[in-house]
Amino acid sequence: AQLVESGGGSVQAGGSLRLSCSFSGYTDSWSCVGWFRQSPDKRREGVASIDSLGRTSVADSVKGRFTISQDNAKNTLYLEMNSLKPEDTDMYYCAARARSDGYCSPNLLLTSSNWGQGTQVNVSS
């Protein structure tokens, strides 16, 4: 299976971006999909997740500003980012994993072995 992110770029603080992640290959086992971000010093933070029932969760640091959604017909995951702040500057990765008990959270995605090449988001003050 493959995950391909797009939609990153450079914006000023207060601006918006929408990230997309296209899935291909065998994805039926994935019960938790979402986004995490990674800083240049390799610090990772789970950002948002969505489970197989469509329930979403976002990190406290982005709550009220970021929204995760998916289009199953298009095998595409989205991350709508509004009111961006300079501290949101990072490389953003789409990730997916299976979990037999159905548990899903943004931080669970940090344990995934399925993630894309990333898309860079830069927010200037």
Side-chain angles (χ1 to χ4, degrees):
Q2 190 175 18
L3 300 88
V4 179
E5 302 94 337
S6 61
S10 297
V11 296
Q12 290 189 323
S16 299
L17 285 172
R18 188 175 82 156
L19 306 184
S20 299
C21 174
S22 296
F23 300 116
S24 62
Y26 179 71
T27 61
D28 289 353
S29 65
W30 292 345
S31 57
C32 184
V33 297
W35 301 86
F36 69 88
R37 59 191 181 186
Q38 180 169 294
S39 61
D41 62 0
K42 306 301 183 186
R43 178 183 55 85
R44 291 185 176 184
E45 179 186 16
V47 174
S49 64
I50 187 166
D51 69 12
S52 58
L53 297 178
R55 295 173 297 194
T56 62
S57 180
V58 296
D60 288 343
S61 59
V62 304
K63 195 163 291 182
R65 301 188 297 121
F66 290 13
T67 303
I68 186 172
S69 63
Q70 64 182 9
D71 184 333
N72 290 327
K74 296 182 179 180
N75 280 349
T76 302
L77 186 71
Y78 302 101
L79 185 67
E80 187 76 36
M81 306 187 295
N82 298 314
S83 302
L84 282 161
K85 303 176 181 180
E87 51 263 44
D88 294 319
T89 295
D90 262 332
M91 185 73 83
Y92 284 72
Y93 295 87
C94 170
R97 65 160 290 168
R99 174 89 176 211
S100 60
D101 63 0
Y103 175 75
C104 183
S105 76
N107 283 336
L108 180 66
L109 294 167
L110 301 179
T111 65
S112 170
S113 59
N114 300 298
W115 34 294
Q117 84 289 346
T119 186
Q120 180 69 37
V121 172
N122 297 311
V123 185
S124 58
S125 58

